[in-house]
Amino acid sequence: MAFLTVSLVLLSFFISVSTQSQNVFETPKPLWTTFHHPIRRVAVVGAGPAGLQATAKLIEHNFTVRLFERAPHPGGNWLYSEETPVREPYPDKPVGQTTEIPAKLPVTRYYSEGDDGLTLDERWTEHWQPRPLWDGLHINTPKVSTELPDVKYDPDTPWVVSNRAVQRHLRSYASHHCLNSNDHCPATASAPPATAYSTRVEKVEKDMEAHTWVLTLRRLERLHESHRILAEWWTETFDAVVLATGPYTAPHVPDIDGIVDWSKAKEGEQYSVYHSQVYRHPQRYANKTVLIVGASVSASEIARELGSFAHRIIASVRPANNSMPSMRQLDLSRFPNITEFVPEIAFLEPLSGHRNGIRSGKIHLINGSVLQGIDEMILATGFRGSALFPPNSTTKRPKNIHWTGHYIPDPTLAYTFGRPWTLGRYQSYGLAKVWQGSARLPTSEQMKLEEEYWREWLGEAVFRRYITWLNNASLEHGGRFVEPPPIENLEVLKYYMLVYLFNLNYNTRNLDSIGNFDISMLSGQLGDKDAWEALVDEDDDW
Ligand SMILES: Cc1cc2nc3c(=O)[nH]c(=O)nc-3n(C[C@H](O)[C@H](O)[C@H](O)COP(=O)(O)OP(=O)(O)OC[C@H]3O[C@@H](n4cnc5c(N)ncnc54)[C@H](O)[C@@H]3O)c2cc1C
Ligand SMILES: NC(=O)c1ccc[n+]([C@@H]2O[C@H](COP(=O)([O-])OP(=O)(O)OC[C@H]3O[C@@H](n4cnc5c(N)ncnc54)[C@H](OP(=O)(O)O)[C@@H]3O)[C@@H](O)[C@H]2O)c1
Ligand SMILES: *[C@@H]1O[C@H](CO)[C@@H](O)[C@H](O)[C@H]1NC(C)=O
Ligand SMILES: *[C@@H]1O[C@H](CO)[C@@H](O)[C@H](O)[C@H]1NC(C)=O
Ligand SMILES: *[C@@H]1O[C@H](CO)[C@@H](O)[C@H](O)[C@H]1NC(C)=O
Ligand SMILES: *[C@@H]1O[C@H](CO)[C@@H](O)[C@H](O)[C@H]1NC(C)=O
Ligand SMILES: *[C@@H]1O[C@H](CO)[C@@H](O)[C@H](O)[C@H]1NC(C)=O
Ligand SMILES: *[C@@H]1O[C@H](CO)[C@@H](O)[C@H](O)[C@H]1NC(C)=O
Ligand SMILES: *[C@@H]1O[C@H](CO)[C@@H](O)[C@H](O)[C@H]1NC(C)=O
């Protein structure tokens, strides 16, 4: 089905091209996207695996690049830290708009403990949102599909590595390209360094007259000796922008009566409820009764870790969404066997006091039962995204994105999507080539037509599409040729899917015959989840 639609689109593309060339003298319509002026200065937002690759590729193509990252070091999601945000600080405000931007920029301010009712720690962690990684977290993807080019893992590294190994891997990649937090590699002596850490992009705006992008930036620095925080705001101007802010910008807190409205909760009535983002170690849950909300990977993996520490583990799970029943089955099978499953929470009764934590609280379930005696509650309810552009957007990525990541209404803006580990190298090269002029984007009208189809291309097809498009462009305009993902990675992926994932549910599989399957034949066993998506896709909404 996907193939048919793709070939139909291509067919109609060729037809429109040939009719256009017949009428070329009457209607000299452009055949591809052109830019107002040459693109030289590019901003990349986010130093995770996606943003690091985009930055390295753009530098290799001689762009003047600035990489902005709100965290103090590279690694994105994989920057482990013992720091935790106390809880979602301003639940009623859009992500990234938690602090008023001063009217006149540039400006510098000093903050002391307690200013505006915030501790220095709160101000610091609100700025960079320490990552949702816990100490014992290991990857749930095989290392071959969680690896960047240029800095391979040691061949003896196991298939499933620790979060610290991924962090070191990303820092190696950053150092290799001179993008680490202690590297300083200006393009010229007078240029600022390519990287700006602890620097959050507050706003991305288009200057319609100059045809440039203006970024509003805020950098924080902890001044340990004087026990203060220095904040600096300023703006910088660019010809193009890559938004590589990842799918998980902030924790998702479900709209359950009793926990959402922290801003209005009276002292003493608040529940000490923590998002899984705050979870680091199992020890504090020793001998406690823990309620975990959610049924997905964070919920099941945290429950597994707590299995040998907690007194009781209760999981509040809502009915599976039918679109992926076997994924739900897989997630549920990962919970430890002591888990007691209960339905969704309806509401929480206000607490009578703050002294004894939430133990005295009454937690009402949708089936009418009431849970009591819960010591701790962990919201493993996932994350939410928000794009920096268009303004006020509450989704991770706006709808009108071309399959190359370019924003169709203005392709000087691009979003990274899909799995950066496997797709990012092609995506980054495509961005560099288009902005350099050594690859072409179709016209906006044609891109709009293709936009409807790109979701169907996710999976193996998106790799093939990138490879043909990039190599065809290099043939015409010069540049390196790209190769498909190495066949040995696909072979490992097949084994991984069956052994690590399927064997939990399907223990009768004959491992000897794995080599006879091709990747897409394994799809059926993950519901509608294509095994290729393990190489490509992160999240259905991403
Ligand atoms: C708990 C957890 C476990 C995971 N486990 C796996 C796994 O096992 N295998 C796997 O493949 N994937 C896993 N993932 C998915 C993970 O998202 C990807 O591995 C990968 O990190 C995505 O890369 P990215 O560069 O797109 O985004 P990220 O790694 O999230 O990086 C985005 C960066 O953008 C920065 N940023 C955001 N907004 C701004 C701003 N306004 N200004 C400046 N900087 C900003 C962030 O600080 C962050 O550093 C996991 C995710 C989570 C949450
Ligand atoms: N490497 C690892 O071990 C590891 C660990 C953690 C996370 N991850 C990755 O990180 C990403 C995010 O995973 P995640 O588990 O944190 O988030 P997630 O996949 O978004 O899961 C959120 C869960 O919360 C549930 N939920 C939301 N609101 C709820 C409510 N009101 N009541 C009950 N349940 C509710 C959701 O249910 P519905 O399904 O009904 O919406 C879902 O089960 C995934 O890509 C995952 O693979 C990896
Ligand atoms: C970058 O500039 C150098 C030096 O001018 C040149 O040799 C190289 O080909 C350029 N790279 C690309 C990808 O255009
Ligand atoms: C938990 O309970 C067990 C058995 O009652 C006890 O031996 C252990 O010390 C307790 N652990 C903590 C951290 O309280
Ligand atoms: C189930 O998934 C579909 C598609 O992602 C979504 O539109 C729908 O709202 C989901 N239903 C529930 C109950 O979450
Ligand atoms: C539950 O799991 C533990 C170890 O993980 C095991 O020892 C025990 O036998 C299991 N119990 C049941 C009833 O399966
Ligand atoms: C609600 O669900 C829980 C867990 O399945 C069950 O133990 C309880 O009896 C149910 N309550 C009612 C009123 O059905
Ligand atoms: C975005 O939201 C802010 C505050 O809610 C509002 O003042 C502003 O006009 C909005 N911007 C756009 C472009 O809608
Ligand atoms: C290959 O390049 C030629 C010349 O630029 C172009 O006409 C054609 O559409 C390209 N084909 C693909 C599949 O990108």
Side-chain angles (χ1 to χ4, degrees), residues 78 134 137-141 248 252 254-256 276 293-299 301 316-321 328 344-345 380-383 538-539:
W78 299 97
W134 54 92
L137 184 138
H138 283 61
I139 54 175
N140 62 354
T141 46
Y248 309 120
H252 161 69
D255 196 4
I256 299 173
S276 64
V293 185
S296 191
V297 189
S298 290
E301 298 305 304
S316 165
V317 168
R318 62 186 180 193
N321 196 330
R328 169 57 62 89
E344 219 171 324
I345 297 171
T381 44
F383 300 87
E538 202 84 85
D539 175 327

Side-chain angles (χ1 to χ4, degrees), residues 441-513:
L441 283 181
T443 59
S444 289
E445 291 71 37
Q446 183 59 32
M447 283 199 281
K448 260 183 224 136
L449 204 62
E450 293 182 6
E451 195 259 328
E452 293 175 29
Y453 296 95
W454 73 265
R455 274 170 199 283
E456 296 186 29
W457 296 333
L458 278 180
E460 189 178 357
V462 82
F463 286 95
R464 271 191 265 112
R465 218 179 146 75
Y466 259 116
I467 293 158
T468 18
W469 175 62
L470 290 169
N471 288 348
N472 184 45
S474 292
L475 209 64
E476 181 91 349
H477 308 285
R480 290 189 198 166
F481 290 90
V482 295
E483 290 171 354
I487 190 81
E488 58 270 29
N489 287 4
L490 301 187
E491 215 44 47
V492 173
L493 187 71
K494 279 196 275 185
Y495 281 86
Y496 178 83
M497 298 299 269
L498 284 175
V499 177
Y500 184 76
L501 294 181
F502 294 149
N503 254 26
L504 298 163
N505 290 324
Y506 305 79
N507 45 23
T508 54
R509 189 104 233 141
N510 179 1
L511 291 182
D512 294 343
S513 63

Side-chain angles (χ1 to χ4, degrees), residues 227-359:
H227 200 57
R228 288 190 302 177
I229 282 178
L230 165 64
E232 298 170 280
W233 282 265
W234 75 101
T235 60
E236 289 189 32
T237 301
F238 298 91
D239 302 311
V241 179
V242 181
L243 296 181
T245 52
Y248 309 120
T249 325
H252 161 69
V253 176
D255 196 4
I256 299 173
D257 243 13
I259 48 170
V260 276
D261 222 357
W262 287 323
S263 54
K264 293 194 196 116
K266 282 192 232 116
E267 186 65 40
E269 289 185 353
Q270 284 177 319
Y271 278 75
S272 294
V273 171
Y274 294 99
H275 189 270
S276 64
Q277 186 189 24
V278 173
Y279 178 77
R280 298 284 184 255
H281 301 279
Q283 283 80 7
R284 63 170 286 173
Y285 300 92
N287 293 349
K288 288 186 170 170
T289 297
V290 185
L291 173 65
I292 298 177
V293 185
S296 191
V297 189
S298 290
S300 56
E301 298 305 304
I302 289 174
R304 261 173 111 79
E305 224 188 63
L306 294 183
S308 50
F309 284 88
H311 168 61
R312 274 176 81 192
I313 295 177
I314 303 170
S316 165
V317 168
R318 62 186 180 193
N321 196 330
N322 283 331
S323 69
M324 263 198 288
S326 55
M327 287 306 281
R328 169 57 62 89
Q329 197 189 338
L330 173 66
D331 285 331
L332 293 184
S333 74
R334 298 281 298 172
F335 279 88
N337 60 15
I338 61 158
T339 310
E340 303 158 44
F341 291 99
V342 301
E344 219 171 324
I345 297 171
F347 66 97
L348 306 169
E349 272 184 42
L351 291 170
S352 53
H354 219 164
R355 285 270 150 73
N356 305 314
I358 63 169
R359 209 180 155 77

Side-chain angles (χ1 to χ4, degrees), residues 215-233:
L215 269 56
T216 304
L217 304 156
R218 182 178 81 155
R219 191 177 93 85
L220 287 198
E221 187 181 341
R222 291 202 83 148
L223 305 172
H224 290 283
E225 270 187 24
S226 62
H227 200 57
R228 288 190 302 177
I229 282 178
L230 165 64
E232 298 170 280
W233 282 265

